[in-house]
Amino acid sequence: MQRIVIISTYPPQECGLATFSKDLKQGMCADKDIIVDVIAVSKTGIEQFDPSVRFVIDKERLDSYIQASHIINAEYDYCIVQHEYGIFGGADGVFINQLINHLTIPLLTIFHTILQSPSLRQKEIMEALLIKSQAVVALSPKGSELLNELFPMVDPKKINVIPHGVPQFDYKQGLSKYRLGLQDYFVMMTFGLIGRSKGLEYAIRSLEGLDLPNFKYLIVGKTHPNVLAHEGESYRFELKSLVEQLQLQDKVVFVDEFLTDEQLKEYLTACDIYLSPYQHEQQISSGTLSFAVGAGAAVISTPYWHAADLLKDDRGILTPFNDVQKMGQHIKLLYKSQRLLAWHRFKARSYGEQTTWKMVAKSYIALLSTLTTPIRSLVHYKDYHSFDLKQEA
């Protein structure tokens, strides 16, 4: 029996990394010879985690990271770190380095953000993770390319590409539209936590002047917690004002919810077009884009890094940054041409079926199996196994 621990945010926390970790854990647990637990990173300390969360790290307490490392060394065979700068404590999340420096078991790091020009501190944090890890994962070919360019001293064999996983969809679009009351509409959708980096104002402006009968654009998702803390709902209010200004109230619908897994699958299955209007190129991974492709939606996206990788081979259409007119033309093209719409949906679905969480989890298990496991000291194990530190932090 192999025991694996994942360090990450985790539900009920509402963020993409938490959802990723939950889905990866469930996929890996399909193998009956594997036990997967979680060490969750908490900013508030008030979340009610499920029993699979072995320990809760207090984000801003350095000693909490050290306690976690002791538990990991004593109880697990492999450790997976989900890395984003913002989820760990200290400047740029440097506290995670204290944890990994104390590990004596194999470490696999999944990089969710890879910057082309990181600051000196950010680069040092990534370098420490690369050196300590026996294997690392980028979620796209571009991510692997950047890691090799930034850290030429690291053995390139360490760096692996495993795509972002997606749910298993049933592709019953007509039924999903009916359940959502959208059976009479051509549906375009964008989902995810809302903030200014999402470029939603460009998406809304692209609809101005288009003749699209029975068309609905659903903007689905709550405002990002960090955005909410700093500026409240001001961005959402600006978007709604823009909709009124352009007289698009009959076309644009805001769904202010953090969807459950089943709700998300329903909405994605129902949509005809998925629109991803990010206006910054250095987006190395997008779970929302991956899910849309997995659902077999026809995707229109700006050419940020992940989109440029994922939408190759006619799996979607790339539309230029800062060009609402071109974006609108692409929307109208798919709206008017059922044949072209069906082709892009087919190509997306064909790829998505290869990247379900079940299949992606097998890739992670296979990668972990190549790593060397330690001979654990029984005394060391007893020292820490007798303490349940789950609530200590």
Side-chain angles (χ1 to χ4, degrees):
M1 185 71 70
Q2 297 291 320
R3 297 181 64 90
I4 300 167
V5 64
I6 298 173
I7 302 174
S8 177
T9 53
Y10 201 70
Q13 293 166 325
E14 296 179 344
C15 71
L17 209 62
T19 303
F20 183 104
S21 296
K22 172 184 68 66
D23 291 335
L24 177 59
K25 175 183 178 298
Q26 289 177 348
M28 296 176 83
C29 285
D31 187 324
K32 301 303 181 184
D33 293 325
I34 288 176
I35 294 173
V36 184
D37 292 336
V38 174
I39 288 182
V41 183
S42 172
K43 184 177 181 180
T44 65
I46 61 173
E47 298 93 343
Q48 295 297 312
F49 294 107
D50 72 43
S52 70
V53 173
R54 173 65 181 89
F55 180 73
V56 179
I57 292 175
D58 184 327
K59 176 180 176 180
E60 299 300 340
R61 275 182 51 192
L62 189 56
D63 65 311
S64 190
Y65 293 80
I66 308 303
Q67 286 178 311
S69 70
H70 293 327
I71 294 171
I72 294 167
N73 290 333
E75 299 182 15
Y76 297 97
D77 301 299
Y78 303 101
C79 178
I80 298 175
V81 168
Q82 307 276 8
H83 185 261
E84 281 271 17
Y85 292 108
I87 72 165
F88 300 111
D92 290 321
V94 71
F95 284 2
I96 188 60
N97 285 7
Q98 282 295 322
L99 188 155
I100 65 166
N101 287 340
H102 285 79
L103 290 186
T104 57
I105 68 168
L107 171 66
L108 186 155
T109 299
I110 305 172
F111 287 111
H112 290 261
T113 295
I114 303 172
L115 303 174
Q116 188 172 37
S117 302
S119 69
L120 180 61
R121 184 191 296 118
Q122 289 169 338
K123 191 172 182 180
E124 287 174 346
I125 292 169
M126 288 191 75
E127 185 174 359
L129 283 162
L130 277 158
I131 291 171
K132 183 68 178 181
S133 300
Q134 288 187 278
V136 301
V137 169
L139 301 176
S140 67
K142 180 64 176 181
S144 173
E145 178 188 319
L146 284 172
L147 288 175
N148 280 300
E149 289 175 1
L150 287 166
F151 305 100
M153 77 295 292
V154 174
D155 183 353
K157 293 179 181 178
K158 259 192 187 186
I159 301 170
N160 304 267
V161 177
I162 300 178
H164 198 297
V166 303
Q168 181 68 60
F169 292 91
D170 63 16
Y171 309 109
K172 295 178 180 177
Q173 187 185 34
L175 182 58
S176 290
K177 281 192 175 185
Y178 178 78
R179 286 173 177 162
L180 294 170
L182 296 168
Q183 62 270 26
D184 297 326
Y185 296 98
F186 184 100
V187 179
M188 187 170 78
M189 173 183 172
T190 299
F191 89 93
L193 294 170
I194 290 178
R196 295 184 185 278
S197 64
K198 298 302 175 73
L200 294 170
E201 61 273 27
Y202 293 88
I204 293 167
R205 289 189 183 279
S206 73
L207 300 177
E208 184 179 11
L210 296 186
D211 181 21
L212 306 172
N214 301 317
F215 176 97
K216 293 291 183 186
Y217 175 37
L218 309 181
I219 298 176
V220 182
K222 294 176 67 174
T223 299
H224 195 290
N226 292 341
V227 175
L228 204 58
H230 289 96
E231 60 172 272
E233 294 284 11
S234 61
Y235 181 56
R236 185 185 295 272
F237 293 149
E238 289 171 25
L239 294 176
K240 289 184 175 180
S241 296
L242 180 61
V243 169
E244 293 176 6
Q245 176 189 330
L246 300 178
Q247 299 183 345
L248 294 170
Q249 296 95 319
D250 63 328
K251 287 185 168 56
V252 181
V253 178
F254 291 86
V255 182
D256 185 8
E257 295 181 44
F258 188 88
L259 300 183
T260 65
D261 291 349
E262 289 308 310
Q263 287 176 315
L264 178 56
K265 287 169 67 174
E266 195 87 276
Y267 273 95
L268 283 171
T269 301
C271 82
D272 297 286
I273 295 174
Y274 185 83
L275 183 61
S276 186
Y278 295 166
Q279 294 298 309
H280 50 95
E281 184 183 33
Q282 294 188 34
Q283 177 84 19
I284 202 66
S285 173
S286 169
T288 57
L289 183 69
S290 298
F291 280 26
V293 170
V299 177
I300 298 172
S301 175
T302 49
Y304 55 89
W305 287 339
H306 190 207
D309 276 338
L310 188 57
L311 300 184
K312 291 175 180 175
D313 191 28
D314 278 354
R315 291 191 288 267
I317 296 174
L318 295 177
T319 192
F321 293 114
N322 304 309
D323 192 338
V324 295
Q325 184 177 5
K326 196 69 175 177
M327 188 182 290
Q329 289 173 1
H330 285 140
I331 293 168
K332 188 173 182 179
L333 179 65
L334 291 182
Y335 175 87
K336 294 288 187 181
S337 174
Q338 284 295 316
R339 184 176 179 179
L340 190 59
L341 179 74
W343 173 246
H344 287 300
R345 287 174 61 81
F346 167 74
K347 294 293 285 185
R349 173 178 173 175
S350 298
Y351 179 81
E353 288 173 338
Q354 303 171 43
T355 61
T356 61
W357 281 113
K358 181 179 179 181
M359 297 184 72
V360 164
K362 287 181 179 179
S363 297
Y364 279 100
I365 292 169
L367 179 56
L368 288 173
S369 71
T370 66
L371 310 185
T372 306
T373 54
I375 299 174
R376 185 177 289 111
S377 162
L378 291 177
V379 174
H380 183 67
Y381 179 83
K382 290 176 182 177
D383 285 346
Y384 293 106
H385 190 66
S386 59
F387 293 95
D388 186 352
L389 298 175
K390 184 173 179 181
Q391 301 302 322
E392 194 72 19

